């Protein structure tokens, strides 16, 4: 469950911070990538060197690097994460989280995070039992923050009672459960996904097509299915295996894809149009192989039907996501397609960007809706798919 997950580990100023190193090591061993954010006081309890070593990333404490003025972007960090875990979380930090105070990097990251957030409180028993702390914890629960309950036992004060941070193994289990729960967040929903290239026959031997491998669309279908959605994948020709749990319908031409999508869309809660669909098809398909002559040949093409625009016109409350593959005026063209095809948001990728677009295992995309444009860094197509599905959930 933790393999490949991005986790921010926030550490606040508590004696329980000594357990954060073990916690970080367990998360990394389970396959997660961990970036650590510390409050200035946390550095008194566990050294940045220790945490940088176990997390294999530099530690983030300040808003910017005083040596060169480089910003530590809490927004980018919040976007990067699949889960934000604050362990240990002091009474002070939880009070600030509950009221939206943002006076250090750990707290601004909390306010920017779009992912699930979990806190593992750690403090003395009276502080924990205090009505103010309990009120703040209740507020955090209402705000959707997961609370990993502290245990009872010996406390740093010498007293015995409830307030000890949960053991690292227990916190890792809780984190896995949260990610598992997130994964099933689309249970009961049905999505249509198009992927791959269409094939427009010229004669029984030749055709017009494009470079789409289907990888991006298949990754989206897989990500939706992993979160519990029923997925119908209408696929152009590819050599890819069908993702587990996904129902695949193979098509060849843009017309075939149009037929399948239009028939299936009414039963769906949304659709992701990732296929590279031919905009033109030969007006006449020759019944026999065309013979070459001495002169040049002109092929007459006619427009295909626009699948996305048809679904967009009949969208109702469904979520409709488009893709735009551009080579120039990227943003402007993508916004035009967003409007014309009535997408809720569009995923822009450009052939001018290295690591983006056709065939490779990575992509560089910008998610554009009517209010925001969110550029994402180079990621695997699977990570891009996760980000797309996160955004779909915001629209549902
Ligand atoms: O398959 P890969 O090798 O992984 O590559 C992924 C990709 C580059 C194909 C993918 O990321 C992508 O950008 N897909 C859309 C490519 C495209 O042709 O976009 P477009 O700008 O022509 O079309 C805009 C939108 O309308 C797309 O959502 C497209 O699916 C849809 N469309 C277009 C024409 C048509 N007749 N019907 C449609 O539904």
């Amino acid at each position: 469950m933790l393999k490949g997950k991005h986790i921010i580990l926030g550490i606040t100023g508590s004696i329980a911070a000594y357990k954060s190193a073990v916690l970080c090591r367990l998360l990394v061993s389970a396959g997660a990538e961990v970036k650590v954010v510390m409050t200035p006081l946390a550095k008194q309890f566990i050294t940045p060197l220790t945490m940088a070593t176990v997390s294999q990333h530099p530690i983030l404490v300040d808003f910017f690097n005083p040596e060169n003025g480089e910003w530590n972007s809490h927004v980018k960090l919040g976007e990067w994460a699949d889960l934000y875990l604050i362990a240990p979380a002091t009474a002070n930090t939880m009070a600030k989280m509950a009221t939206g105070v943002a006076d250090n990097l750990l707290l601004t990251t909390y306010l920017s995070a779009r992912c699930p957030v979990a806190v593992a409180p750690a403090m003395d028993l009276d502080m924990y039992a205090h009505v103010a702390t309990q009120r703040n914890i209740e507020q955090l629960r209402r705000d959707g923050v997961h609370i990993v309950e502290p245990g009872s036992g010996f406390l740093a004060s010498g007293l015995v009672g409830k307030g000890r941070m949960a053991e690292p193994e227990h916190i890792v289990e809780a984190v896995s459960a949260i990610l598992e729960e997130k994964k099933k967040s689309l249970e009961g929903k049905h999505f249509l996904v198009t992927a791959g290239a269409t094939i427009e026959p010229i004669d029984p031997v030749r055709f017009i097509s494009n470079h789409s491998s289907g990888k991006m669309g298949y990754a989206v279908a897989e990500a939706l299915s992993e979160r519990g959605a029923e997925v119908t994948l209408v696929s152009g020709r590819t050599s890819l295996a069908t993702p587990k749990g996904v129902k695949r319908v193979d098509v060849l031409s843009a017309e075939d894809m149009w037929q399948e999508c239009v028939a299936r869309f009414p039963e769906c809660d949304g659709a992701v149009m990732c296929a590279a669909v031919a905009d033109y098809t030969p007006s006449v398909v020759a019944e026999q192989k065309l013979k070459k002559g001495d002169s040049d040949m002109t092929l007459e093409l006619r427009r295909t039907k626009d699948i996305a625009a048809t679904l967009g016109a009949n969208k109702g409350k469904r979520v409709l996501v488009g893709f735009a593959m551009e080579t120039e005026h990227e943003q402007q063209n993508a916004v035009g397609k967003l409007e014309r095809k009535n997408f809720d948001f569009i995923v822009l990728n450009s052939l001018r960007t290295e690591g983006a677009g056709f065939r490779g295992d990575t992509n560089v995309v910008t998610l554009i809706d009517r209010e925001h444009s969110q550029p994402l860094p180079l990621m695997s197509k699977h990570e891009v798919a996760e980000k797309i599905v996160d955004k779909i959930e915001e629209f549902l």
Side-chain angles (χ1 to χ4, degrees):
M1 177 50 61
L2 292 170
K3 198 160 188 309
K5 293 292 175 205
H6 292 169
I7 295 179
I8 309 172
L9 175 59
I11 305 178
T12 67
S14 156
I15 194 71
Y18 79 92
K19 293 185 191 173
S20 301
V22 178
L23 175 58
C24 184
R25 171 57 52 83
L26 289 174
L27 292 168
V28 171
S29 307
E33 189 177 348
V34 181
K35 291 188 181 174
V36 176
V37 184
M38 298 171 82
T39 61
L41 190 59
K43 292 196 292 181
Q44 308 289 326
F45 291 90
I46 186 153
T47 69
L49 179 62
T50 304
M51 292 313 304
T53 307
V54 288
S55 69
Q56 296 153 18
H57 282 291
I59 301 312
L60 303 162
V61 179
D62 299 311
F63 289 112
F64 60 89
N65 181 339
E67 300 295 319
N68 58 16
E70 189 189 341
W71 277 95
N72 290 324
S73 169
H74 54 91
V75 175
K76 285 208 176 112
L77 202 56
E79 283 172 3
W80 171 84
D82 294 305
L83 186 128
Y84 187 12
L85 168 66
I86 302 174
T90 58
N92 181 46
T93 288
M94 289 193 297
K96 288 178 176 179
M97 288 167 73
T99 49
V101 174
D103 62 359
N104 61 42
L105 187 65
L106 182 143
L107 290 162
T108 49
T109 305
Y110 168 61
L111 292 182
S112 305
R114 295 178 175 185
C115 58
V117 178
V119 294
M123 66 201 75
D124 190 54
L125 79 164
D126 294 314
M127 285 177 83
Y128 183 70
H130 197 281
V131 63
T133 306
Q134 289 304 314
R135 191 172 54 231
N136 291 329
I137 289 179
E138 200 37 52
Q139 181 59 51
L140 290 179
R141 252 191 249 281
R142 276 204 294 273
D143 294 343
V145 174
H146 300 263
I147 313 292
V148 186
E149 289 278 328
S152 291
F154 282 104
L155 301 165
S157 60
L159 299 172
V160 178
K162 188 166 180 178
R164 277 170 68 96
M165 185 173 88
E167 292 308 317
E169 291 78 4
H170 178 68
I171 297 175
V172 172
E173 277 171 26
V175 163
S176 302
I178 294 163
L179 289 169
E180 180 73 41
E181 190 183 304
K182 184 185 172 203
K183 275 181 101 176
K184 297 296 169 211
S185 51
L186 291 177
E187 220 150 46
K189 303 285 181 201
H190 186 175
F191 281 88
L192 179 72
V193 178
T194 66
T198 57
I199 286 189
E200 308 302 323
I202 297 169
D203 66 16
V205 178
R206 305 173 183 96
F207 56 81
I208 299 172
S209 191
N210 60 66
H211 294 297
S212 173
S213 63
K215 284 182 182 173
M216 190 64 251
Y218 275 53
V220 171
E222 186 171 11
L224 285 164
S225 172
E226 279 180 355
R227 292 202 199 174
E230 184 185 341
V231 181
T232 304
L233 175 61
V234 179
S235 174
R237 185 184 287 176
T238 83
S239 55
L240 301 173
T242 310
K244 202 165 148 236
V246 167
K247 179 177 172 193
R248 171 167 156 182
V249 179
D250 286 326
V251 295
L252 277 183
S253 67
E255 174 63 27
D256 298 343
M257 192 173 267
W258 190 88
Q259 298 281 354
E260 292 294 345
C261 291
V262 169
R264 289 162 198 279
F265 190 56
E267 296 143 30
C268 293
D269 298 286
V272 184
M273 314 304 290
C274 192
V277 186
D279 291 320
Y280 292 90
T281 191
S283 304
V284 180
V285 182
E287 278 184 23
Q288 304 302 331
K289 183 181 173 188
L290 293 171
K291 296 290 172 218
K292 67 170 177 282
D294 290 337
S295 52
D296 293 342
M297 173 192 259
T298 304
L299 261 185
E300 191 181 290
L301 303 177
R302 63 174 167 79
R303 279 298 312 266
T304 55
K305 293 178 195 150
D306 193 314
I307 308 163
T310 309
L311 303 193
N314 299 286
K315 182 169 105 57
K317 289 199 160 63
R318 296 175 193 85
V319 180
L320 187 62
V321 182
F323 270 74
M325 157 52 72
E326 302 298 336
T327 57
E328 58 174 356
H329 310 303
E330 285 85 348
Q331 187 84 12
Q332 193 187 330
N333 289 342
V335 169
K337 286 173 186 172
L338 173 86
E339 297 293 345
R340 277 198 307 281
K341 306 197 187 201
N342 198 20
F343 292 132
D344 290 289
F345 68 93
I346 191 159
V347 183
L348 164 65
N349 42 194
S350 170
L351 271 195
R352 287 202 290 184
T353 312
E354 201 172 324
F358 296 122
R359 289 159 64 164
D361 291 324
T362 60
N363 209 350
V364 183
V365 303
T366 303
L367 306 183
I368 304 169
D369 62 30
R370 281 173 180 72
E371 281 162 23
H372 306 103
S373 177
Q374 182 192 357
L376 298 177
L378 177 79
M379 292 177 177
S380 72
K381 284 187 173 165
H382 286 280
E383 287 171 322
V384 171
E386 290 290 339
K387 295 291 177 197
I388 292 169
V389 178
D390 285 345
K391 197 165 172 76
I392 288 174
E393 289 199 22
E394 287 172 27
F395 277 89
L396 277 174

